[in-house]
Amino acid sequence: MHPRDQTIFALSSGRPPSAIALVRVSGPQAGRIVTTLAGKLPPPRMATRALLRDVGQRPIDDAVVLWFPGPANATGEDVAEFHVHGGRAVLAALFAALSAFADVRSAEPGEFTRRAFENGKLDLTEAEGLDDLIHADTDRQRHQALRQLKGLLGDRARDWRARIIEASALIEAGIDFSDEGDVPAELIAPALAKVKALLFEIEEVLAGQGRSERLRDGLVVAIAGPPNVGKSTLMNQLARREVAIVSPHAGTTRDVIEVQLDLDGYPVTVIDTAGIRETDDPVEQEGVRRARARAADADLVLWLSDSSQAAIDHDGSAPIWKVRNKIDLGAAGRPLAEGPGQGSFQISASRGDGVLELISALVEFAQTYFGGSESGLIGRTRQRKLLEDVAAGLRRCLTVVGEGEELAAEELRTAAHSLGRLLGRVDVEDILDVIFREFCVGK
Ligand SMILES: Nc1nc2c(ncn2[C@@H]2O[C@H](COP(=O)(O)OP(=O)(O)OP(=O)(O)O)[C@@H](O)[C@H]2O)c(=O)[nH]1
């Protein structure tokens, strides 16, 4: 039997022990399983209390059972839900009872959602949104994932695809005519007008996004600078907890320490890098190398110095903000050369002076970077890349149409194909495993 035709089950709620655990079953055996374990098939979609018994009539647990006959449900197959007490032994007994049925097995990660996708219950952008919602840590991540799950991008993509197909039908009609003589402009002109309007819309969506797909991973801010300038102290201030070891000796942060922050709903990973310095110690050299590499990949670098004016020693394309630390020592004979300006801050990491201003500036940076996630339609790099392909195809269509309508029609076909891939409707076998593997078991 093909694995797809087997009945699957999984724990869909959190790690045991828990007060209640939810075990879902999906597939052709679901009805038989419920009837056997609960003694009868409950009315559809009605929570029904039942004493579950295994095939040998040994009691498993007092449970609430729900029966959702397919296809009008989440996966499109017959589905049963068992709400049992969330103890490990209860679950072990229930899983053993389920596994005793022929053609029933535990589910792979994301397999329920994959079946829902394959049965047309949701498109690929919605499935991705579902996964993102489950993994959302911050409010903006949740918001964006919910938009995807509601099908906002999917709906737009379906509409664009339909319009591309209309435009290409007009051009193809023109090509058919042209066999008999001239290509009628009244067919080509409206087709090109449609393509132009579409291109405008898609470009607008792409431009208005900022880098909203990065909301999933978050922004990376590196704190870098010479040894002993207070990098770990600043990190602790930002995290408001002791994550990095603060010590008065130079070179304490050997490796890269990270902390995840939720800055006004934006996920931000702050990394505290080892002090960048000359050293002969191979272990320290390795620390410095990693620190440089990690800082080079960051989206923003906070270059920390103390009052003694260290020059910036950093490679990478990210913007660098100069942060002068230990301003509390400034009065003691080391006057501050310059006041704060664009991307330049004066703080005392140990006392906390100026740290709130730095945090507000980081929030502002995140807002600009993500382009205001209110308008975020694109949730993943996969989606952005495909939309960029579509826009490029439409642009090429407008350029090549002068050389021949066949070329233009071909570009439109490719663009429609990319939208089909975005929705997961065509040619996606290669990516489905990758996408669904990221899901939780039981979803
Ligand atoms: N006076 C004063 N001292 C500070 C301030 N910030 C940090 N320090 C002190 O400076 C010393 C070094 O701080 P760290 O945070 O360990 O410095 P670091 O840059 O992480 O050091 P490395 O990991 O060695 O590169 C500690 O003794 C801190 O207490 C500040 O704003 N004012």
Side-chain angles (χ1 to χ4, degrees):
M1 177 181 271
H2 195 281
R4 218 176 280 175
D5 301 323
Q6 289 175 326
T7 298
I8 52 172
F9 66 87
L11 173 67
S12 289
S13 54
R15 183 188 291 256
S18 60
I20 305 288
L22 165 60
V23 174
R24 288 211 296 171
V25 179
S26 180
Q29 297 295 324
R32 199 159 79 86
I33 288 171
V34 179
T35 312
T36 310
L37 297 192
K40 62 178 186 310
L41 202 59
R45 296 173 299 280
M46 296 267 285
T48 306
R49 194 167 163 191
L51 179 67
L52 303 184
R53 290 176 182 277
D54 65 15
V55 276
Q57 288 303 302
R58 288 174 295 261
I60 301 171
D61 190 16
D62 192 12
V64 169
V65 181
L66 281 140
W67 163 238
F68 301 98
N73 62 10
T75 62
E77 308 175 323
D78 285 348
V79 170
E81 282 184 11
F82 296 101
H83 298 243
V84 293
H85 295 99
R88 289 192 190 89
V90 174
L91 289 166
L94 179 55
F95 289 171
L98 292 169
S99 306
F101 288 84
D103 302 320
V104 176
R105 61 171 170 86
S106 57
E108 302 290 328
E111 201 172 1
F112 289 91
T113 314
R114 184 162 184 164
R115 289 185 174 198
F117 164 74
E118 274 161 3
N119 290 325
K121 293 287 168 181
L122 31 70
D123 68 39
L124 204 49
T125 65
E126 289 163 337
E128 287 170 327
L130 188 58
D131 184 40
D132 291 348
L133 188 60
I134 289 166
H135 291 108
D137 288 323
T138 74
D139 212 43
R140 304 221 182 229
Q141 288 176 319
R142 177 182 64 78
H143 198 76
Q144 168 153 309
L146 205 54
R147 288 165 68 87
Q148 296 268 320
L149 179 57
K150 283 196 298 196
L152 260 66
L153 176 62
D155 289 347
R156 290 295 291 275
R158 265 182 291 277
D159 170 59
W160 289 330
R161 188 158 181 252
R163 285 158 61 196
I164 290 180
I165 290 167
E166 273 170 37
S168 99
L170 285 171
I171 293 184
E172 267 153 33
I175 294 169
D176 292 345
F177 268 99
S178 72
D179 290 342
E180 299 150 21
D182 292 336
V183 179
E186 60 271 28
L187 286 176
I188 299 297
L192 295 185
K194 269 181 200 294
V195 171
K196 269 184 206 148
L198 270 164
L199 179 59
F200 181 77
E201 274 178 45
I202 294 172
E203 279 178 335
E204 217 178 20
V205 166
L206 282 167
Q209 293 301 296
R211 278 161 275 193
S212 57
E213 71 268 23
R214 285 288 309 279
L215 255 183
R216 289 180 73 221
D217 307 325
L219 201 69
V220 177
V221 176
I223 305 178
N228 225 31
V229 288
K231 296 184 294 298
S232 309
T233 312
L234 173 60
M235 171 97 153
N236 289 344
Q237 274 286 352
L238 291 175
R240 288 198 202 89
R241 59 192 166 101
E242 302 279 315
V243 284
I245 312 146
V246 180
S247 108
H249 307 292
T252 355
T253 315
R254 297 235 165 152
D255 257 322
V256 183
I257 296 176
E258 304 197 356
V259 62
Q260 312 285 335
L261 302 184
D262 176 344
L263 284 187
D264 196 28
Y266 294 109
V268 175
T269 303
V270 179
I271 57 178
D272 174 12
T273 63
I276 291 178
R277 63 194 166 268
E278 298 300 322
T279 168
D280 296 330
D281 179 344
V283 178
E284 280 195 22
Q285 278 172 349
E286 176 59 16
V288 171
R289 193 194 61 76
R290 282 195 218 171
R292 281 185 188 278
R294 197 74 169 94
D297 281 346
D299 301 301
L300 175 69
V301 175
L302 303 182
W303 185 267
L304 216 59
S305 63
D306 49 24
S307 307
S308 58
Q309 275 308 300
I312 293 177
D313 172 17
H314 167 76
D315 27 68
S317 53
I320 300 173
W321 288 0
K322 280 186 272 178
V323 181
R324 185 184 294 183
N325 190 27
K326 308 193 186 180
I327 54 164
D328 53 306
L329 301 179
R334 279 195 271 182
L336 303 170
E338 66 203 55
Q342 188 73 28
S344 120
F345 300 83
Q346 312 252 4
I347 64 165
S348 166
S350 57
R351 286 205 321 214
D353 307 1
V355 172
L356 281 182
E357 287 79 356
L358 182 61
I359 290 176
S360 324
L362 286 174
V363 169
E364 231 171 83
F365 181 82
Q367 277 165 349
T368 314
Y369 184 94
F370 290 119
S373 66
E374 283 318 312
S375 59
L377 266 188
I378 298 170
R380 296 195 176 207
T381 309
R382 181 189 83 85
Q383 301 166 353
R384 167 178 298 274
K385 287 222 168 94
L386 285 168
L387 268 194
E388 281 169 353
D389 288 351
V390 175
L394 296 181
R395 249 177 257 125
R396 278 195 305 270
C397 163
L398 293 171
T399 336
V400 299
V401 70
E403 298 161 32
E405 287 77 11
E406 290 86 353
L407 296 174
E410 181 54 32
E411 293 296 352
L412 291 184
R413 270 192 294 275
T414 315
H417 187 80
S418 296
L419 285 172
R421 269 179 72 89
L422 178 68
L423 290 163
R425 285 291 155 246
V426 292
D427 198 18
V428 282
E429 279 310 312
D430 53 333
I431 52 164
L432 288 184
D433 285 342
V434 179
I435 289 176
F436 286 104
R437 205 168 41 219
E438 282 183 17
F439 273 67
C440 304
V441 172
K443 190 60 224 174

